[in-house]
Amino acid sequence: MPLLTCGAIEALLLRGADALKKVYLPKMVEGSWTGTMNLTEPQAGSDLALVKAKAIPEGENYRIHGQKIFITYGEHDLAENIIHLVLARTPDAPEGVRGISLFIVPKFLVNADGSLGKRNDVHCASIEHKLGIHASPTAVLIFGEKEGALGYLIGEENRGLEYMFIMMNAARFAVGLEGVAISDRAYQQALAYAKERVQGRDLAGGGKAVPIIRQPDVRRMLMSMKAQAEAMRALAYVVAAAMDIAHRDPDATLRAKHQAFADMMIPVVKGWSTESCIEVASTGIQVHGGVGYVEETGAAQHMRDARITTIYEGTTAIQSNDLVGRKMAREGGATAKELIKAMRVVEGELAQVQGEDMADIRAGLAAGIKAVEESVTWIVSTYARDPKAVHAGSVPFLKLMGIVCGGWQMARAALVAQKRLAAKEGDAAFYQAKIGTARFYADHVLAQAPGLRNTVVRGAAGVMALTEEQF
Ligand SMILES: Cc1cc2nc3c(=O)[nH]c(=O)nc-3n(C[C@H](O)[C@H](O)[C@H](O)COP(=O)(O)OP(=O)(O)OC[C@H]3O[C@@H](n4cnc5c(N)ncnc54)[C@H](O)[C@@H]3O)c2cc1C
């Protein structure tokens, strides 16, 4: 709920008229009114060109009519008022995405003195029964059953989708962070259980049953959860820093460079962290054995909650199509080539340090960078002639980007840890664990990169092999 309220606040701040800002912003910022995003309709999910909700001009304002579905916190009584941001079309708007406008539609109309007035003509028809996120009410909303819901235009007509995209970048990044958070929570819970649950003997000998954390496969599962959560978090923070620089740095060239990097990486943070968090939450259940599958432990809840993250704010395919099309092919892979250069610098630094762990981390990263480079070259050279082939491998490519960029961060962390250990600075056990986790990541996660490269470059033929009748 706070995420969507922040999105609504941002849209108002950036594009709202002063009078609207004055009425709505203070209450939304202090948290007594909450915000929603109303995009989805039964026939318009990933494809917002199909939005049908109508906005009929009435004086300076509009009357909104239509149905929206799946609206997060669309109805509740936790706040005094709900401020809906709604996509709708004016009567003479052009077809498709260029004819969509953005409106503010409050649940309760606001009087001139700021007090709440009568109920607006927007009503909740039902609340969805969902697989997970049971604490988040997801509503079907009907606008304009009677006279029409009073709506106030944000910015200019027909530019609504563009304004929504300003918020969507932040919202997509935030859902990526949801993936990081669920992964870490699932890991913490599995770790606590693995230290407590006694089962099986130690392979090294001794007759007594031991906590399962001493079983090598449980170690493998815990390390895969820990390593992936750390890699996802580090990558998300690097992208967050780029967003800050793009926003505030006085140097315009640097701002543009970081904006291009953030634009390319936001679909990766969103898509990769969320796809991975489902796997991590599932592994968390496996660590628990049978009690993970029953509800009492809470391990299953992480998996049920994780499952939505690859769907809302754009499914993984929508992220990966954006990545290969708008963010890569359109600019000839220029930003991706800069990224490859930056990763090669770290590979070079790894070559300067001694030790088997660091050599292994370097080998994994080098193979990963090569896989990304070959995939980018193929995408850029194929997109114009055969976009379907590129889209057929876009989700595997997004995963490849996530894995390798995560490996880049794990390698950077290992380099810092190595320096601190050599200088005998700080907590040695913490730094040794960083190097050990980066090595695990190289051998178990980065190792997937060459296979994903083959899927991206060669996989389209198999994806498109059957006619629709042959399925
Ligand atoms: C719990 C929950 C909360 C939500 N909250 C909100 C909210 O607050 N506001 C809001 O407006 N919406 C919300 N949504 C809607 C959500 O954003 C959509 O469900 C999502 O965008 C996918 O649209 P869809 O469900 O129509 O699936 P579809 O678009 O029908 O997609 C079905 C499948 O087809 C694939 N697909 C579709 N188009 C393409 C393409 N071009 N290329 C490749 N694959 C494609 C998808 O990846 C998916 O696998 C929520 C949904 C849920 C379940």
Side-chain angles (χ1 to χ4, degrees):
M1 173 172 57
L3 194 159
L4 294 164
T5 305
C6 287
I9 290 170
E10 204 173 338
L12 261 173
L13 270 175
L14 287 167
R15 297 289 181 262
D18 286 346
L20 283 180
K21 286 187 196 168
K22 210 169 134 218
V23 175
Y24 293 98
L25 279 180
K27 292 284 188 183
M28 293 175 82
V29 171
E30 74 180 22
S32 43
W33 297 354
T34 59
T36 68
M37 298 228 282
N38 285 249
L39 289 70
T40 309
E41 298 177 8
Q43 78 295 344
S46 300
D47 186 359
L48 292 170
L50 302 175
V51 159
K52 281 204 305 215
K54 283 263 161 270
I56 315 290
E58 185 185 275
E60 285 187 358
N61 301 318
Y62 295 78
R63 291 280 172 185
I64 313 289
H65 298 263
Q67 183 188 6
K68 296 284 178 182
I69 61 168
F70 297 152
I71 305 308
T72 298
Y73 275 90
E75 180 61 313
H76 59 86
D77 52 10
L78 293 169
E80 294 159 15
N81 203 359
I82 305 174
I83 311 307
H84 304 293
L85 262 67
V86 185
L87 290 184
R89 287 179 190 284
T90 51
D92 44 9
E95 293 274 297
V97 291
R98 290 207 166 78
I100 297 174
S101 305
L102 180 62
F103 299 88
I104 275 210
V105 182
K107 173 178 168 183
F108 291 103
L109 298 173
V110 185
N111 297 323
D113 64 356
S115 63
L116 292 185
K118 71 173 188 132
R119 185 82 204 235
N120 205 353
D121 187 10
V122 45
H123 294 277
C124 172
S126 65
I127 297 284
E128 308 294 359
H129 297 274
K130 307 194 295 289
L131 178 67
I133 57 166
H134 291 147
S136 170
T138 307
V140 174
L141 294 180
I142 310 287
F143 293 79
E145 258 180 336
K146 298 178 196 124
E147 70 279 12
L150 199 55
Y152 311 98
L153 181 69
I154 295 187
E156 294 169 32
E157 279 188 10
N158 300 332
R159 294 185 67 184
L161 209 62
E162 182 192 320
Y163 304 155
M164 267 292 173
F165 263 99
I166 302 173
M167 293 184 285
M168 252 189 253
N169 254 354
R172 286 179 171 177
F173 179 80
V175 175
L177 278 186
E178 229 180 304
V180 179
I182 295 172
S183 300
D184 205 77
R185 183 64 193 98
Y187 166 65
Q188 289 173 25
Q189 192 157 347
L191 175 63
Y193 187 73
K195 286 181 172 172
E196 172 195 302
R197 171 71 172 165
V198 172
Q199 205 73 186
R201 311 288 172 268
D202 195 323
L203 284 176
K208 269 177 62 182
V210 294
I212 57 172
I213 193 168
R214 298 207 198 142
Q215 305 299 347
D217 189 62
V218 174
R219 282 292 179 103
R220 179 191 61 76
M221 289 192 281
L222 291 173
M223 283 301 277
S224 88
M225 298 174 82
K226 176 177 165 60
Q228 289 187 83
E230 283 184 20
M232 283 179 227
R233 182 185 298 111
L235 185 61
Y237 287 177
V238 164
V239 175
M243 284 156 75
D244 285 351
I245 296 168
H247 200 52
R248 296 298 281 241
D249 200 278
D251 179 344
T253 317
L254 211 59
R255 282 205 305 275
K257 186 177 155 203
H258 282 85
Q259 188 64 53
F261 174 72
D263 284 346
M264 181 176 75
M265 295 308 293
I266 283 170
V268 177
V269 169
K270 198 297 186 174
W272 175 60
S273 305
T274 58
E275 290 285 342
S276 304
C277 88
I278 296 172
E279 184 196 321
V280 169
S282 174
T283 306
I285 293 178
Q286 193 70 13
V287 170
H288 283 79
V291 296
Y293 195 70
V294 298
E295 292 292 349
E296 282 89 321
T297 55
Q301 185 190 327
H302 301 315
M303 191 166 165
R304 288 188 284 98
D305 289 352
R307 198 62 194 81
I308 185 61
T309 59
T310 61
I311 297 172
Y312 60 18
E313 288 303 337
T315 62
T316 308
I318 296 305
Q319 309 301 324
S320 64
N321 289 348
D322 182 41
L323 175 66
V324 296
R326 247 164 33 100
K327 310 286 170 66
M328 205 150 284
R330 198 190 276 182
E331 55 154 42
T335 309
K337 284 173 195 160
E338 287 295 311
L339 167 71
I340 289 165
K341 246 195 250 165
M343 292 198 289
R344 287 244 155 86
V345 170
V346 172
E347 187 197 327
E349 286 171 24
L350 286 164
Q352 309 294 315
V353 289
Q354 303 292 316
E356 197 190 318
D357 286 336
M358 301 306 272
D360 198 73
I361 295 166
R362 183 193 169 203
L365 182 63
I369 298 170
K370 184 165 176 275
V372 168
E373 190 170 44
E374 290 173 1
S375 301
V376 169
T377 304
W378 181 81
I379 288 167
V380 170
S381 63
T382 310
Y383 200 87
R385 141 176 81 77
D386 192 356
K388 261 195 177 171
V390 176
H391 280 223
S394 70
V395 168
F397 176 68
L398 178 146
K399 192 171 172 196
L400 170 64
M401 281 283 282
I403 285 174
V404 176
C405 293
W408 168 38
Q409 302 316 318
M410 295 303 270
R412 289 178 63 207
L415 281 166
V416 172
Q418 170 95 359
K419 268 193 204 128
R420 299 274 155 83
L421 283 171
K424 297 201 181 341
E425 278 173 14
D427 179 350
F430 173 81
Y431 292 124
Q432 282 154 2
K434 272 280 165 213
I435 294 175
T437 310
R439 172 149 190 187
F440 175 92
Y441 190 92
D443 289 334
H444 291 255
V445 187
L446 267 175
Q448 299 164 32
L452 285 165
R453 174 258 176 224
N454 292 346
T455 305
V456 172
V457 172
R458 296 209 304 261
V463 171
M464 306 308 284
L466 309 190
T467 63
E468 282 181 26
E469 294 69 34
Q470 283 173 312
F471 273 96

